Amino acid sequence: MNCVIEGNCVKVFGKAIHALSRIGDDLWLDPMVKGLALRSVNSAQSAYACFLFSPLFFHHYRLESESEMVRETIRCKLLMKSILPLFRGLTSIERNVERCEISVSAPCDRVIFQFYCRHGITKTHNIRFQESEALQAVFASHLCPNVLKAPARLLGDMVLHFPVFQEEITLSMTSLSVSLRNYCEGGKGHMKVMHTEMSLHPEEFDSFQIGMDSDITFCLKELRGLLAFAESHCLPVSVHFGAAGQPVCFSVEDMLLEASVVLATLTDCESRAPSQPAEPPAPSSPRCADEASVHSGVCEGRSGLPGAFPDVTEVVMSSQGSPMASPADLRHLLEHNSPYRLLQEEPADASGTPASSTVCSLLFKALSSEPDDDDDDDARAVLACYSDDEAPDRPMSPSL
Amino acid sequence: MPLSTQSQGDDDQYILVASMDNGRNLSNILKAITFKDHAVFTATPNGLKVTVEDCKCLQANAFIQAEIFQEFTIREDLVAFQINLAVLLDCLNIFGGSPVAGVSTALRMCYRGYGYPLTLFLEEGGVVTVCKINTEEPEELIDFEFCSTNVTNKVILQSESLKEAFSELDMTSEVLQITMTPSQPYFRLSTFGNSGNAHYDYSKDSDMMELFRCTKTQTNRYKMSLLKPSTKALALSSKVSVRTDNRGFLSLQYLVRNDDGQICFVEYYCCPDEEVEEE
């Protein structure tokens, strides 16, 4: 892969990396026909971000390198701490960098970032990468009941009111208003913490679609990067979400790029329950191809489980009704859920954690280019793998 | 002026008297070489030289010519002593480290000779402080035997272009490699860190390159830990000359303009880590 970014676009690229660095410690570089995707996921797998730069963003974008015409494109995993310093000084990049060339050289497992700067200065960085399967979360945002489109600065201005250390915030939506408030874990010094709440009228939004009243609580820190990016580009931010427990997707797009951040939300029974009754899951209900779920790949034939589990190479399959998810607490969560379904698992140390405050993790499946054997563990870099200690014949939901 | 009346009668006792209306002209330049506690002061009728060494591989010198001082009196051909540089800087900044507009600290340094402390008279806003700092026998300084006739390659760059490179240098790299060649890439700084290699290339046609004189291709590596302190001198300077000789020894010379626009020099000498072939 070889691409050239000219002028101001280098700064945009740098800002995307800054936003991604808020998410995780690794950066996935995935050159595709439709563009170059930069992705990251956090260690708890509760936040995922993707920036997709279309070929138009680049002065020059070529997938194959000259000597390797037939070769497949390489997907790379880089350490964020190797890449971020290259783009740390955005003002200096703006002032000095005329052109940035990125090429992936498979034989030497390096990604080469070459900055052509003013005054005849050239900076070349050869960064080691690990060849990796692509990372992708599939989120059918078109099936979310609630959709907001906020003007560029609106959300950014609102989150300014929360202190930097505020971990989680709750977004509540009714047909009358959208409010943001800080989230405090129940009971802990409830009265000693400063509570902040802001409400917005539906008319403040470019677009306001409400399918169901809902309160979602998610981590703010990981979102700030995208909001800063949106503000600097004057791009409106779209928010797609459903009931508590379902992931929320924040996205921006323009002609040259699309960016999205998908965050897990708390399934917190303390939040206002959805006003629409959720349908109880039928154990053997047929899979509906149009039901949304974050694509979960963890159970793909790892332990020879019954094939009732969705074939993971199909996109957007609901695993509702799968015999996989059976622990009592998860079933309890399922009853409160709408048709969206995430594969839930308890955090490893959750011995005393009540189900009501379990954070759902988004499980990502590494998309492979050809279907591998289900038993071929190494071929897929499945990110959410269940513990190796799990007894293979126990058809329980895996835990991290 | 309290300073001058105080010392009028004692001047005969001192073999070295140096005064400055703005002590910052001295303290700023000394900061550029403060990577070790001890420094050797060598004074001649030409001025003052302050030397700091590290590991017997690195030597930094700050030159403050006699003309920079308002008064520079020396009664011997050579006066030398060793002193704790950190303590000296603390005293020079005794009225506060940060500069206040329109206010300067006047400085008078006096030295009676071998065995005597260095006496500093500092005055600001009518307040006088007297500091006496113990001196020591000066250690023998390394002679790098770096002379112009042995210089194989020399470039002079505007500091601005190097400042950014030095601030971005990958500190996980143990060495800084300097390559000078008559052809591409002309002048290259390279690091070899945990995440990979980085190269900073300066073309000979760059408008930041004031002089480019390269007789043969040379690549030398220097320990990053030794060169990193030179970043302070780079930050103060407007120009830097980079020279290597036939042994691969490195000389960095920085042109520093002080608050009053006067020129001082800071110089770093460094031994190469090892001889390498061009990669």
Side-chain angles (χ1 to χ4, degrees):
Chain A
M1 189 274 298
N2 180 280
C3 65
V4 174
I5 310 174
E6 287 260 313
N8 283 332
C9 292
V10 183
K11 186 175 175 185
V12 175
F13 195 81
K15 283 194 179 175
I17 296 200
H18 279 240
L20 286 160
S21 69
R22 304 275 200 134
I23 304 279
D25 295 332
D26 291 314
L27 180 69
W28 273 260
L29 209 67
D30 186 7
M32 305 182 289
V33 170
K34 62 176 175 168
L36 179 65
L38 301 177
R39 302 192 177 104
S40 188
V41 67
N42 71 352
S43 51
Q45 285 157 44
S46 58
Y48 158 93
C50 173
F51 277 74
L52 176 66
F53 294 94
S54 97
L56 295 172
F57 176 81
F58 303 92
H59 181 253
H60 167 82
Y61 182 78
R62 193 178 69 226
L63 283 179
E64 316 77 26
S65 58
E66 278 152 10
S67 55
E68 305 157 21
M69 288 303 259
V70 222
R71 204 190 167 88
E72 272 182 34
T73 52
I74 306 295
R75 297 187 189 102
C76 327
K77 183 167 98 161
L78 302 151
L79 285 175
M80 194 64 79
K81 66 176 186 203
S82 306
I83 298 294
L84 191 59
L86 274 53
F87 294 93
R88 179 160 283 138
L90 289 175
T91 356
S92 122
I93 285 181
E94 189 175 26
R95 225 179 24 226
N96 296 324
V97 176
E98 290 169 350
R99 196 163 95 241
C100 170
E101 184 170 341
I102 305 175
S103 40
V104 180
S105 172
C108 14
D109 72 335
R110 302 283 165 114
V111 177
I112 303 167
F113 288 84
Q114 209 157 18
F115 294 89
Y116 295 88
C117 307
R118 287 192 317 158
H119 308 300
I121 299 170
T122 306
K123 300 179 190 175
T124 309
H125 297 265
N126 300 308
I127 311 284
R128 277 188 210 105
F129 70 84
Q130 268 179 277
E131 201 167 324
S132 166
E133 295 299 334
L135 161 75
Q136 188 163 343
V138 179
F139 180 77
S141 47
H142 59 284
L143 293 172
C144 289
N146 296 342
V147 182
L148 291 170
K149 192 165 178 184
R153 298 193 50 163
L154 185 68
L155 290 178
D157 284 350
M158 280 180 74
V159 304
L160 268 180
H161 295 279
F162 295 103
V164 174
F165 55 79
Q166 180 66 41
E167 293 261 340
E168 283 134 354
I169 58 172
T170 303
L171 172 77
S172 301
M173 185 170 178
T174 66
S175 46
L176 298 175
S177 75
V178 171
S179 77
L180 279 180
R181 61 180 184 277
N182 59 331
Y183 175 79
C184 323
E185 259 173 278
K188 289 186 188 163
H190 205 64
M191 297 310 291
K192 296 178 192 165
V193 175
M194 180 172 80
H195 291 257
T196 308
E197 177 163 354
M198 286 158 281
S199 289
L200 291 171
H201 193 273
E203 301 204 340
E204 302 237 27
F205 294 89
D206 292 347
S207 151
F208 185 94
Q209 172 192 314
I210 174 156
M212 59 187 282
D213 288 1
S214 90
D215 295 337
I216 51 167
T217 301
F218 51 87
C219 190
L220 178 57
K221 173 177 85 93
E222 283 135 358
L223 178 60
R224 284 188 194 270
L226 182 76
L227 294 181
F229 186 87
E231 246 188 80
S232 63
H233 286 271
C234 306
L235 293 173
V237 180
S238 298
V239 190
H240 292 84
F241 61 105
Q246 308 312 316
V248 53
C249 175
F250 294 85
S251 57
V252 296
E253 64 177 350
D254 74 4
M255 290 212 314
L256 303 176
L257 59 89
E258 295 166 22
S260 55
V261 169
V262 183
L263 301 171
T265 63
L266 278 184
T267 54
D268 193 344
C269 294
E270 287 170 12
S271 315
R272 229 174 32 216
S275 52
Q276 290 177 1
E279 293 151 14
S284 54
S285 63
R287 282 172 257 131
C288 309
D290 60 353
E291 281 185 83
S293 78
V294 171
H295 198 108
S296 55
V298 98
C299 310
E300 26 147 22
R302 273 249 182 176
S303 53
L305 291 158
F309 206 76
D311 176 358
V312 292
T313 54
E314 285 177 63
V315 171
V316 192
M317 292 300 291
S318 167
S319 42
Q320 174 140 10
S322 159
M324 279 303 300
S326 18
D329 51 346
L330 291 186
R331 206 177 283 127
H332 160 76
L333 288 171
L334 284 173
E335 282 163 11
H336 286 276
N337 287 352
S338 65
Y340 309 115
R341 172 74 161 69
L342 273 183
L343 202 63
Q344 324 262 357
E345 76 278 48
E346 299 164 308
D349 58 348
S351 46
T353 313
S356 59
S357 55
T358 302
V359 179
C360 338
S361 291
L362 304 177
L363 306 174
F364 302 97
K365 173 203 169 291
L367 298 176
S368 53
S369 42
E370 46 303 308
D372 283 315
D373 284 346
D374 283 351
D375 292 332
D376 187 352
D377 291 354
D378 299 326
R380 300 173 197 273
V382 173
L383 298 177
C385 12
Y386 56 84
S387 156
D388 288 340
D389 299 331
E390 198 83 39
D393 55 356
R394 186 168 153 242
M396 299 299 244
S397 174
S399 55
L400 279 174
Chain B
M1 280 285 291
L3 275 184
S4 40
T5 46
Q6 230 174 38
S7 53
Q8 234 160 25
D10 303 326
D11 263 7
D12 290 344
Q13 303 176 30
Y14 296 118
I15 59 169
L16 172 67
V17 176
S19 359
M20 248 185 199
D21 286 344
N22 183 358
R24 217 162 285 288
N25 287 338
L26 180 66
S27 58
N28 279 347
I29 203 165
L30 290 182
K31 277 188 211 159
I33 59 167
T34 311
F35 50 89
K36 283 280 172 187
D37 276 344
H38 287 88
V40 173
F41 272 61
T42 312
T44 66
N46 290 332
L48 187 63
K49 178 174 90 160
V50 184
T51 308
V52 180
E53 288 183 351
D54 192 6
C55 303
K56 296 288 178 203
C57 299
L58 179 82
Q59 182 184 89
N61 297 302
F63 294 92
I64 307 109
Q65 296 98 294
E67 296 76 45
I68 310 277
F69 294 92
Q70 269 67 56
E71 180 197 345
F72 193 84
T73 311
I74 183 168
R75 290 180 195 280
E76 290 179 17
D77 288 338
L78 185 91
V79 174
F81 53 84
Q82 186 166 293
I83 196 166
N84 187 318
L85 194 54
V87 170
L88 174 63
L89 275 173
D90 280 346
C91 295
L92 289 175
N93 291 318
I94 207 153
F95 288 105
S98 34
V100 179
V103 179
S104 62
T105 311
L107 164 71
R108 188 184 182 85
M109 281 196 308
C110 308
Y111 181 62
R112 274 192 202 184
Y114 185 81
Y116 286 92
L118 178 71
T119 308
L120 300 176
F121 297 92
L122 294 139
E123 185 267 335
E124 189 181 290
V127 178
V128 179
T129 307
V130 181
C131 307
K132 288 190 176 161
I133 309 172
N134 286 338
T135 60
E136 295 164 40
E137 181 93 35
E139 272 175 20
E140 203 176 304
L141 297 173
I142 311 166
D143 179 2
F144 279 78
E145 291 175 9
F146 197 98
C147 60
S148 327
T149 44
N150 291 337
V151 169
T152 47
N153 294 327
K154 174 175 178 171
V155 307
I156 298 182
L157 285 160
Q158 287 192 25
S159 301
E160 196 189 313
S161 56
L162 269 187
K163 280 175 198 174
E164 206 186 291
F166 267 75
S167 66
E168 289 174 4
L169 282 181
D170 182 357
M171 295 312 292
T172 64
S173 171
E174 278 191 20
V175 295
L176 177 65
Q177 179 171 288
I178 300 181
T179 304
M180 293 201 255
T181 91
S183 56
Q184 292 269 10
Y186 303 113
F187 181 76
R188 171 177 275 192
L189 299 173
S190 309
T191 55
F192 308 92
N194 293 340
S195 35
N197 308 338
H199 303 289
Y200 291 80
D201 299 338
Y202 294 79
S203 161
K204 74 169 169 62
D205 304 312
S206 164
D207 49 356
M208 289 281 149
M209 182 78 74
E210 288 203 1
L211 179 88
F212 182 83
R213 206 157 58 209
C214 181
T215 58
K216 67 170 197 180
T217 298
Q218 259 194 316
T219 301
N220 291 295
R221 292 188 178 193
Y222 306 92
K223 277 216 178 353
M224 185 71 86
S225 52
L226 292 177
L227 286 185
K228 195 62 174 135
S230 68
T231 317
K232 281 192 214 166
L234 181 64
L236 286 177
S237 67
S238 51
K239 282 189 208 182
V240 55
S241 104
V242 183
R243 299 178 302 163
T244 50
D245 71 2
N246 50 8
R247 303 164 298 169
F249 278 59
L250 176 70
S251 151
L252 298 166
Q253 291 174 315
Y254 302 91
L255 191 152
V256 177
R257 263 183 220 278
N258 66 16
D259 288 351
D260 299 317
Q262 297 160 311
I263 291 176
C264 296
F265 289 95
V266 176
E267 183 177 71
Y268 274 74
Y269 288 111
C270 191
C271 300
D273 202 32
E274 62 191 68
E275 277 288 320
V276 277
E277 290 304 309
E278 180 79 355
E279 261 188 34

